[in-house]
PDB file of all heavy atoms in Angstrom:
ATOM      1  N   TRP A   1      86.995 111.428  81.739  1.00 93.00           N
ATOM      2  CA  TRP A   1      86.335 112.724  81.693  1.00 93.00           C
ATOM      3  C   TRP A   1      85.746 112.934  80.332  1.00 93.00           C
ATOM      4  O   TRP A   1      86.380 112.774  79.298  1.00 93.00           O
ATOM      5  CB  TRP A   1      87.339 113.803  82.007  1.00 93.00           C
ATOM      6  CG  TRP A   1      86.787 115.185  82.072  1.00 93.00           C
ATOM      7  CD1 TRP A   1      85.637 115.560  82.686  1.00 93.00           C
ATOM      8  CD2 TRP A   1      87.348 116.372  81.512  1.00 93.00           C
ATOM      9  NE1 TRP A   1      85.442 116.916  82.536  1.00 93.00           N
ATOM     10  CE2 TRP A   1      86.485 117.436  81.838  1.00 93.00           C
ATOM     11  CE3 TRP A   1      88.481 116.635  80.757  1.00 93.00           C
ATOM     12  CZ2 TRP A   1      86.750 118.754  81.444  1.00 93.00           C
ATOM     13  CZ3 TRP A   1      88.723 117.943  80.386  1.00 93.00           C
ATOM     14  CH2 TRP A   1      87.868 118.991  80.723  1.00 93.00           C
ATOM     15  N   ASP A   2      84.439 113.327  80.290  1.00 94.00           N
ATOM     16  CA  ASP A   2      83.760 113.561  79.019  1.00 94.00           C
ATOM     17  C   ASP A   2      83.671 115.027  78.637  1.00 94.00           C
ATOM     18  O   ASP A   2      82.926 115.401  77.750  1.00 94.00           O
ATOM     19  CB  ASP A   2      82.356 112.928  79.086  1.00 94.00           C
ATOM     20  CG  ASP A   2      81.498 113.545  80.166  1.00 94.00           C
ATOM     21  OD1 ASP A   2      81.952 114.480  80.880  1.00 94.00           O
ATOM     22  OD2 ASP A   2      80.335 113.066  80.338  1.00 94.00           O
ATOM     23  N   GLY A   3      84.418 115.895  79.336  1.00 95.00           N
ATOM     24  CA  GLY A   3      84.410 117.319  79.026  1.00 95.00           C
ATOM     25  C   GLY A   3      83.301 118.098  79.700  1.00 95.00           C
ATOM     26  O   GLY A   3      83.131 119.272  79.408  1.00 95.00           O
ATOM     27  N   ILE A   4      82.631 117.429  80.645  1.00 95.00           N
ATOM     28  CA  ILE A   4      81.560 118.096  81.382  1.00 95.00           C
ATOM     29  C   ILE A   4      82.112 118.497  82.751  1.00 95.00           C
ATOM     30  O   ILE A   4      82.754 117.706  83.445  1.00 95.00           O
ATOM     31  CB  ILE A   4      80.321 117.208  81.556  1.00 95.00           C
ATOM     32  CG1 ILE A   4      79.772 116.769  80.190  1.00 95.00           C
ATOM     33  CG2 ILE A   4      79.234 117.880  82.406  1.00 95.00           C
ATOM     34  CD1 ILE A   4      79.291 117.903  79.314  1.00 95.00           C
ATOM     35  N   LEU A   5      81.851 119.745  83.159  1.00 93.00           N
ATOM     36  CA  LEU A   5      82.358 120.258  84.443  1.00 93.00           C
ATOM     37  C   LEU A   5      81.537 119.703  85.588  1.00 93.00           C
ATOM     38  O   LEU A   5      80.450 119.177  85.387  1.00 93.00           O
ATOM     39  CB  LEU A   5      82.311 121.806  84.426  1.00 93.00           C
ATOM     40  CG  LEU A   5      83.078 122.489  83.326  1.00 93.00           C
ATOM     41  CD1 LEU A   5      82.774 123.994  83.333  1.00 93.00           C
ATOM     42  CD2 LEU A   5      84.564 122.232  83.493  1.00 93.00           C
ATOM     43  N   LEU A   6      82.028 119.876  86.811  1.00 91.00           N
ATOM     44  CA  LEU A   6      81.316 119.429  87.999  1.00 91.00           C
ATOM     45  C   LEU A   6      79.921 120.057  88.096  1.00 91.00           C
ATOM     46  O   LEU A   6      79.009 119.438  88.630  1.00 91.00           O
ATOM     47  CB  LEU A   6      82.112 119.758  89.270  1.00 91.00           C
ATOM     48  CG  LEU A   6      83.379 118.964  89.478  1.00 91.00           C
ATOM     49  CD1 LEU A   6      84.177 119.512  90.632  1.00 91.00           C
ATOM     50  CD2 LEU A   6      83.079 117.491  89.724  1.00 91.00           C
ATOM     51  N   ASN A   7      79.757 121.262  87.566  1.00 91.00           N
ATOM     52  CA  ASN A   7      78.454 121.921  87.629  1.00 91.00           C
ATOM     53  C   ASN A   7      77.503 121.490  86.499  1.00 91.00           C
ATOM     54  O   ASN A   7      76.395 122.025  86.389  1.00 91.00           O
ATOM     55  CB  ASN A   7      78.624 123.447  87.617  1.00 91.00           C
ATOM     56  CG  ASN A   7      79.239 123.971  86.318  1.00 91.00           C
ATOM     57  OD1 ASN A   7      79.339 123.279  85.344  1.00 91.00           O
ATOM     58  ND2 ASN A   7      79.657 125.232  86.366  1.00 91.00           N
ATOM     59  N   GLY A   8      77.953 120.544  85.658  1.00 93.00           N
ATOM     60  CA  GLY A   8      77.089 120.020  84.615  1.00 93.00           C
ATOM     61  C   GLY A   8      77.198 120.694  83.276  1.00 93.00           C
ATOM     62  O   GLY A   8      76.604 120.280  82.300  1.00 93.00           O
ATOM     63  N   HIS A   9      77.950 121.795  83.182  1.00 95.00           N
ATOM     64  CA  HIS A   9      78.127 122.548  81.929  1.00 95.00           C
ATOM     65  C   HIS A   9      79.301 121.980  81.158  1.00 95.00           C
ATOM     66  O   HIS A   9      80.219 121.381  81.718  1.00 95.00           O
ATOM     67  CB  HIS A   9      78.348 124.015  82.216  1.00 95.00           C
ATOM     68  CG  HIS A   9      77.150 124.691  82.832  1.00 95.00           C
ATOM     69  ND1 HIS A   9      77.072 124.934  84.188  1.00 95.00           N
ATOM     70  CD2 HIS A   9      76.035 125.154  82.268  1.00 95.00           C
ATOM     71  CE1 HIS A   9      75.937 125.520  84.415  1.00 95.00           C
ATOM     72  NE2 HIS A   9      75.264 125.664  83.290  1.00 95.00           N
ATOM     73  N   GLU A  10      79.283 122.207  79.849  1.00 96.00           N
ATOM     74  CA  GLU A  10      80.415 121.792  79.005  1.00 96.00           C
ATOM     75  C   GLU A  10      81.614 122.672  79.322  1.00 96.00           C
ATOM     76  O   GLU A  10      81.516 123.889  79.425  1.00 96.00           O
ATOM     77  CB  GLU A  10      80.065 121.941  77.528  1.00 96.00           C
ATOM     78  CG  GLU A  10      79.141 120.903  77.013  1.00 96.00           C
ATOM     79  CD  GLU A  10      78.997 120.970  75.509  1.00 96.00           C
ATOM     80  OE1 GLU A  10      79.518 121.924  74.853  1.00 96.00           O
ATOM     81  OE2 GLU A  10      78.347 120.054  74.967  1.00 96.00           O
ATOM     82  N   ALA A  11      82.785 122.048  79.439  1.00 96.00           N
ATOM     83  CA  ALA A  11      84.033 122.787  79.650  1.00 96.00           C
ATOM     84  C   ALA A  11      84.403 123.446  78.323  1.00 96.00           C
ATOM     85  O   ALA A  11      84.204 122.875  77.234  1.00 96.00           O
ATOM     86  CB  ALA A  11      85.120 121.831  80.099  1.00 96.00           C
ATOM     87  N   PRO A  12      84.994 124.628  78.417  1.00 96.00           N
ATOM     88  CA  PRO A  12      85.446 125.276  77.191  1.00 96.00           C
ATOM     89  C   PRO A  12      86.649 124.525  76.582  1.00 96.00           C
ATOM     90  O   PRO A  12      87.413 123.910  77.315  1.00 96.00           O
ATOM     91  CB  PRO A  12      85.834 126.671  77.600  1.00 96.00           C
ATOM     92  CG  PRO A  12      85.877 126.698  79.077  1.00 96.00           C
ATOM     93  CD  PRO A  12      85.173 125.472  79.560  1.00 96.00           C
ATOM     94  N   GLN A  13      86.768 124.616  75.291  1.00 96.00           N
ATOM     95  CA  GLN A  13      87.959 124.044  74.614  1.00 96.00           C
ATOM     96  C   GLN A  13      89.197 124.649  75.209  1.00 96.00           C
ATOM     97  O   GLN A  13      89.208 125.823  75.554  1.00 96.00           O
ATOM     98  CB  GLN A  13      87.833 124.372  73.129  1.00 96.00           C
ATOM     99  CG  GLN A  13      88.955 123.807  72.299  1.00 96.00           C
ATOM    100  CD  GLN A  13      88.664 123.941  70.816  1.00 96.00           C
ATOM    101  OE1 GLN A  13      87.690 123.390  70.324  1.00 96.00           O
ATOM    102  NE2 GLN A  13      89.463 124.715  70.133  1.00 96.00           N
ATOM    103  N   GLY A  14      90.232 123.849  75.371  1.00 97.00           N
ATOM    104  CA  GLY A  14      91.476 124.378  75.911  1.00 97.00           C
ATOM    105  C   GLY A  14      92.318 123.298  76.569  1.00 97.00           C
ATOM    106  O   GLY A  14      92.051 122.103  76.456  1.00 97.00           O
ATOM    107  N   VAL A  15      93.340 123.762  77.301  1.00 98.00           N
ATOM    108  CA  VAL A  15      94.282 122.860  77.955  1.00 98.00           C
ATOM    109  C   VAL A  15      93.882 122.698  79.440  1.00 98.00           C
ATOM    110  O   VAL A  15      93.502 123.685  80.089  1.00 98.00           O
ATOM    111  CB  VAL A  15      95.718 123.422  77.857  1.00 98.00           C
ATOM    112  CG1 VAL A  15      96.691 122.526  78.637  1.00 98.00           C
ATOM    113  CG2 VAL A  15      96.131 123.536  76.398  1.00 98.00           C
ATOM    114  N   TYR A  16      93.942 121.472  79.903  1.00 97.00           N
ATOM    115  CA  TYR A  16      93.634 121.137  81.295  1.00 97.00           C
ATOM    116  C   TYR A  16      94.748 120.281  81.855  1.00 97.00           C
ATOM    117  O   TYR A  16      95.538 119.697  81.101  1.00 97.00           O
ATOM    118  CB  TYR A  16      92.309 120.384  81.365  1.00 97.00           C
ATOM    119  CG  TYR A  16      91.130 121.242  80.980  1.00 97.00           C
ATOM    120  CD1 TYR A  16      90.801 121.433  79.645  1.00 97.00           C
ATOM    121  CD2 TYR A  16      90.396 121.920  81.963  1.00 97.00           C
ATOM    122  CE1 TYR A  16      89.750 122.264  79.289  1.00 97.00           C
ATOM    123  CE2 TYR A  16      89.334 122.754  81.580  1.00 97.00           C
ATOM    124  CZ  TYR A  16      89.025 122.921  80.262  1.00 97.00           C
ATOM    125  OH  TYR A  16      87.992 123.760  79.919  1.00 97.00           O
ATOM    126  N   VAL A  17      94.854 120.235  83.168  1.00 96.00           N
ATOM    127  CA  VAL A  17      95.882 119.471  83.847  1.00 96.00           C
ATOM    128  C   VAL A  17      95.200 118.298  84.555  1.00 96.00           C
ATOM    129  O   VAL A  17      94.158 118.434  85.166  1.00 96.00           O
ATOM    130  CB  VAL A  17      96.601 120.358  84.889  1.00 96.00           C
ATOM    131  CG1 VAL A  17      97.620 119.561  85.692  1.00 96.00           C
ATOM    132  CG2 VAL A  17      97.254 121.548  84.225  1.00 96.00           C
ATOM    133  N   TYR A  18      95.843 117.093  84.440  1.00 92.00           N
ATOM    134  CA  TYR A  18      95.292 115.956  85.188  1.00 92.00           C
ATOM    135  C   TYR A  18      96.282 115.537  86.249  1.00 92.00           C
ATOM    136  O   TYR A  18      97.472 115.773  86.146  1.00 92.00           O
ATOM    137  CB  TYR A  18      94.977 114.780  84.228  1.00 92.00           C
ATOM    138  CG  TYR A  18      96.180 114.080  83.654  1.00 92.00           C
ATOM    139  CD1 TYR A  18      96.831 113.077  84.357  1.00 92.00           C
ATOM    140  CD2 TYR A  18      96.652 114.421  82.399  1.00 92.00           C
ATOM    141  CE1 TYR A  18      97.928 112.440  83.822  1.00 92.00           C
ATOM    142  CE2 TYR A  18      97.766 113.799  81.847  1.00 92.00           C
ATOM    143  CZ  TYR A  18      98.393 112.781  82.576  1.00 92.00           C
ATOM    144  OH  TYR A  18      99.472 112.179  82.039  1.00 92.00           O
ATOM    145  N   ARG A  19      95.743 114.892  87.275  1.00 89.00           N
ATOM    146  CA  ARG A  19      96.565 114.325  88.350  1.00 89.00           C
ATOM    147  C   ARG A  19      95.960 112.982  88.759  1.00 89.00           C
ATOM    148  O   ARG A  19      94.732 112.896  88.886  1.00 89.00           O
ATOM    149  CB  ARG A  19      96.605 115.262  89.551  1.00 89.00           C
ATOM    150  CG  ARG A  19      97.491 114.740  90.673  1.00 89.00           C
ATOM    151  CD  ARG A  19      97.657 115.763  91.749  1.00 89.00           C
ATOM    152  NE  ARG A  19      96.397 115.842  92.504  1.00 89.00           N
ATOM    153  CZ  ARG A  19      96.239 116.564  93.596  1.00 89.00           C
ATOM    154  NH1 ARG A  19      97.236 117.287  94.050  1.00 89.00           N
ATOM    155  NH2 ARG A  19      95.093 116.550  94.248  1.00 89.00           N
ATOM    156  N   ILE A  20      96.794 111.977  88.914  1.00 83.00           N
ATOM    157  CA  ILE A  20      96.328 110.642  89.314  1.00 83.00           C
ATOM    158  C   ILE A  20      97.029 110.246  90.613  1.00 83.00           C
ATOM    159  O   ILE A  20      98.243 110.367  90.708  1.00 83.00           O
ATOM    160  CB  ILE A  20      96.633 109.599  88.217  1.00 83.00           C
ATOM    161  CG1 ILE A  20      95.935 109.964  86.907  1.00 83.00           C
ATOM    162  CG2 ILE A  20      96.230 108.195  88.685  1.00 83.00           C
ATOM    163  CD1 ILE A  20      96.337 109.062  85.735  1.00 83.00           C
ATOM    164  N   PHE A  21      96.249 109.754  91.560  1.00 77.00           N
ATOM    165  CA  PHE A  21      96.788 109.187  92.800  1.00 77.00           C
ATOM    166  C   PHE A  21      95.882 108.034  93.206  1.00 77.00           C
ATOM    167  O   PHE A  21      94.653 108.203  93.201  1.00 77.00           O
ATOM    168  CB  PHE A  21      96.827 110.253  93.906  1.00 77.00           C
ATOM    169  CG  PHE A  21      97.306 109.694  95.202  1.00 77.00           C
ATOM    170  CD1 PHE A  21      98.679 109.633  95.464  1.00 77.00           C
ATOM    171  CD2 PHE A  21      96.425 109.233  96.147  1.00 77.00           C
ATOM    172  CE1 PHE A  21      99.141 109.115  96.657  1.00 77.00           C
ATOM    173  CE2 PHE A  21      96.890 108.698  97.356  1.00 77.00           C
ATOM    174  CZ  PHE A  21      98.243 108.648  97.614  1.00 77.00           C
ATOM    175  N   ALA A  22      96.433 106.896  93.535  1.00 72.00           N
ATOM    176  CA  ALA A  22      95.648 105.767  93.937  1.00 72.00           C
ATOM    177  C   ALA A  22      96.399 104.871  94.923  1.00 72.00           C
ATOM    178  O   ALA A  22      97.608 104.680  94.793  1.00 72.00           O
ATOM    179  CB  ALA A  22      95.231 104.916  92.734  1.00 72.00           C
ATOM    180  N   ARG A  23      95.679 104.359  95.934  1.00 71.00           N
ATOM    181  CA  ARG A  23      96.252 103.369  96.831  1.00 71.00           C
ATOM    182  C   ARG A  23      95.521 102.067  96.508  1.00 71.00           C
ATOM    183  O   ARG A  23      94.318 101.960  96.570  1.00 71.00           O
ATOM    184  CB  ARG A  23      96.007 103.740  98.292  1.00 71.00           C
ATOM    185  CG  ARG A  23      96.591 102.726  99.254  1.00 71.00           C
ATOM    186  CD  ARG A  23      96.316 103.083 100.722  1.00 71.00           C
ATOM    187  NE  ARG A  23      96.634 104.457 101.013  1.00 71.00           N
ATOM    188  CZ  ARG A  23      97.835 104.910 101.406  1.00 71.00           C
ATOM    189  NH1 ARG A  23      98.842 104.076 101.478  1.00 71.00           N
ATOM    190  NH2 ARG A  23      98.017 106.194 101.655  1.00 71.00           N
ATOM    191  N   PHE A  24      96.317 101.047  96.183  1.00 70.00           N
ATOM    192  CA  PHE A  24      95.752  99.757  95.793  1.00 70.00           C
ATOM    193  C   PHE A  24      95.495  98.861  96.988  1.00 70.00           C
ATOM    194  O   PHE A  24      95.992  99.136  98.096  1.00 70.00           O
ATOM    195  CB  PHE A  24      96.718  99.057  94.788  1.00 70.00           C
ATOM    196  CG  PHE A  24      96.914  99.852  93.523  1.00 70.00           C
ATOM    197  CD1 PHE A  24      98.071 100.552  93.271  1.00 70.00           C
ATOM    198  CD2 PHE A  24      95.893  99.902  92.568  1.00 70.00           C
ATOM    199  CE1 PHE A  24      98.219 101.297  92.141  1.00 70.00           C
ATOM    200  CE2 PHE A  24      96.033 100.614  91.396  1.00 70.00           C
ATOM    201  CZ  PHE A  24      97.224 101.316  91.202  1.00 70.00           C
ATOM    202  N   ILE A  25      94.735  97.834  96.764  1.00 74.00           N
ATOM    203  CA  ILE A  25      94.321  96.946  97.832  1.00 74.00           C
ATOM    204  C   ILE A  25      95.527  96.290  98.562  1.00 74.00           C
ATOM    205  O   ILE A  25      95.453  96.000  99.730  1.00 74.00           O
ATOM    206  CB  ILE A  25      93.342  95.873  97.282  1.00 74.00           C
ATOM    207  CG1 ILE A  25      92.335  95.487  98.281  1.00 74.00           C
ATOM    208  CG2 ILE A  25      94.073  94.681  96.728  1.00 74.00           C
ATOM    209  CD1 ILE A  25      91.128  94.767  97.711  1.00 74.00           C
ATOM    210  N   ASP A  26      96.631  96.148  97.834  1.00 77.00           N
ATOM    211  CA  ASP A  26      97.834  95.546  98.462  1.00 77.00           C
ATOM    212  C   ASP A  26      98.670  96.599  99.211  1.00 77.00           C
ATOM    213  O   ASP A  26      99.722  96.297  99.745  1.00 77.00           O
ATOM    214  CB  ASP A  26      98.700  94.847  97.428  1.00 77.00           C
ATOM    215  CG  ASP A  26      99.372  95.810  96.421  1.00 77.00           C
ATOM    216  OD1 ASP A  26      99.103  97.019  96.504  1.00 77.00           O
ATOM    217  OD2 ASP A  26     100.107  95.327  95.566  1.00 77.00           O
ATOM    218  N   GLY A  27      98.157  97.844  99.261  1.00 75.00           N
ATOM    219  CA  GLY A  27      98.840  98.896 100.004  1.00 75.00           C
ATOM    220  C   GLY A  27      99.798  99.728  99.156  1.00 75.00           C
ATOM    221  O   GLY A  27     100.264 100.772  99.613  1.00 75.00           O
ATOM    222  N   SER A  28     100.099  99.289  97.945  1.00 72.00           N
ATOM    223  CA  SER A  28     101.000 100.040  97.093  1.00 72.00           C
ATOM    224  C   SER A  28     100.300 101.313  96.644  1.00 72.00           C
ATOM    225  O   SER A  28      99.072 101.380  96.563  1.00 72.00           O
ATOM    226  CB  SER A  28     101.475  99.234  95.895  1.00 72.00           C
ATOM    227  OG  SER A  28     100.409  98.859  95.092  1.00 72.00           O
ATOM    228  N   ILE A  29     101.098 102.334  96.333  1.00 71.00           N
ATOM    229  CA  ILE A  29     100.543 103.631  95.983  1.00 71.00           C
ATOM    230  C   ILE A  29     101.012 103.984  94.587  1.00 71.00           C
ATOM    231  O   ILE A  29     102.196 104.024  94.303  1.00 71.00           O
ATOM    232  CB  ILE A  29     101.016 104.740  96.988  1.00 71.00           C
ATOM    233  CG1 ILE A  29     100.503 104.376  98.361  1.00 71.00           C
ATOM    234  CG2 ILE A  29     100.497 106.107  96.520  1.00 71.00           C
ATOM    235  CD1 ILE A  29     101.029 105.315  99.429  1.00 71.00           C
ATOM    236  N   TYR A  30     100.059 104.265  93.706  1.00 69.00           N
ATOM    237  CA  TYR A  30     100.365 104.760  92.360  1.00 69.00           C
ATOM    238  C   TYR A  30     100.496 106.252  92.468  1.00 69.00           C
ATOM    239  O   TYR A  30      99.615 106.935  92.997  1.00 69.00           O
ATOM    240  CB  TYR A  30      99.260 104.391  91.400  1.00 69.00           C
ATOM    241  CG  TYR A  30      99.500 104.877  89.989  1.00 69.00           C
ATOM    242  CD1 TYR A  30     100.232 104.103  89.112  1.00 69.00           C
ATOM    243  CD2 TYR A  30      99.064 106.128  89.556  1.00 69.00           C
ATOM    244  CE1 TYR A  30     100.487 104.539  87.804  1.00 69.00           C
ATOM    245  CE2 TYR A  30      99.322 106.565  88.281  1.00 69.00           C
ATOM    246  CZ  TYR A  30     100.005 105.770  87.426  1.00 69.00           C
ATOM    247  OH  TYR A  30     100.263 106.224  86.165  1.00 69.00           O
ATOM    248  N   GLY A  31     101.575 106.791  91.990  1.00 61.00           N
ATOM    249  CA  GLY A  31     101.764 108.216  92.021  1.00 61.00           C
ATOM    250  C   GLY A  31     102.632 108.691  93.177  1.00 61.00           C
ATOM    251  O   GLY A  31     102.910 109.862  93.300  1.00 61.00           O
ATOM    252  N   HIS A  32     103.046 107.777  94.039  1.00 55.00           N
ATOM    253  CA  HIS A  32     103.888 108.157  95.172  1.00 55.00           C
ATOM    254  C   HIS A  32     105.309 107.723  94.878  1.00 55.00           C
ATOM    255  O   HIS A  32     105.582 106.524  94.843  1.00 55.00           O
ATOM    256  CB  HIS A  32     103.410 107.519  96.445  1.00 55.00           C
ATOM    257  CG  HIS A  32     104.233 107.861  97.645  1.00 55.00           C
ATOM    258  ND1 HIS A  32     104.215 109.115  98.211  1.00 55.00           N
ATOM    259  CD2 HIS A  32     105.102 107.126  98.360  1.00 55.00           C
ATOM    260  CE1 HIS A  32     105.046 109.110  99.251  1.00 55.00           C
ATOM    261  NE2 HIS A  32     105.597 107.921  99.334  1.00 55.00           N
ATOM    262  N   ARG A  33     106.198 108.700  94.591  1.00 55.00           N
ATOM    263  CA  ARG A  33     107.559 108.364  94.243  1.00 55.00           C
ATOM    264  C   ARG A  33     107.515 107.318  93.119  1.00 55.00           C
ATOM    265  O   ARG A  33     108.094 106.222  93.235  1.00 55.00           O
ATOM    266  CB  ARG A  33     108.355 107.862  95.409  1.00 55.00           C
ATOM    267  CG  ARG A  33     108.520 108.934  96.465  1.00 55.00           C
ATOM    268  CD  ARG A  33     109.425 108.478  97.566  1.00 55.00           C
ATOM    269  NE  ARG A  33     109.419 109.532  98.586  1.00 55.00           N
ATOM    270  CZ  ARG A  33     109.676 109.296  99.824  1.00 55.00           C
ATOM    271  NH1 ARG A  33     109.931 108.092 100.250  1.00 55.00           N
ATOM    272  NH2 ARG A  33     109.667 110.287 100.696  1.00 55.00           N
ATOM    273  N   GLY A  34     106.800 107.678  92.083  1.00 51.00           N
ATOM    274  CA  GLY A  34     106.464 106.766  90.996  1.00 51.00           C
ATOM    275  C   GLY A  34     107.660 106.029  90.406  1.00 51.00           C
ATOM    276  O   GLY A  34     108.780 106.501  90.396  1.00 51.00           O
TER     277      GLY A  34
END
């Protein structure tokens, strides 16, 4: 993320929350009962 919002504007300085979830080609899941 480069700090640009989905609407193309700069995000204001501050705290944000991230979430990661991925299913890999071998079927394993990152983020599921990590």
Side-chain angles (χ1 to χ4, degrees):
W1 183 44
D2 60 2
I4 302 298
L5 302 173
L6 289 172
N7 64 12
H9 294 99
E10 286 188 353
Q13 182 170 297
V15 176
Y16 293 83
V17 177
Y18 70 85
R19 182 173 74 173
I20 300 172
F21 178 85
R23 181 182 312 273
F24 298 104
I25 214 164
D26 68 358
S28 62
I29 300 173
Y30 180 87
H32 180 72
R33 297 185 184 154

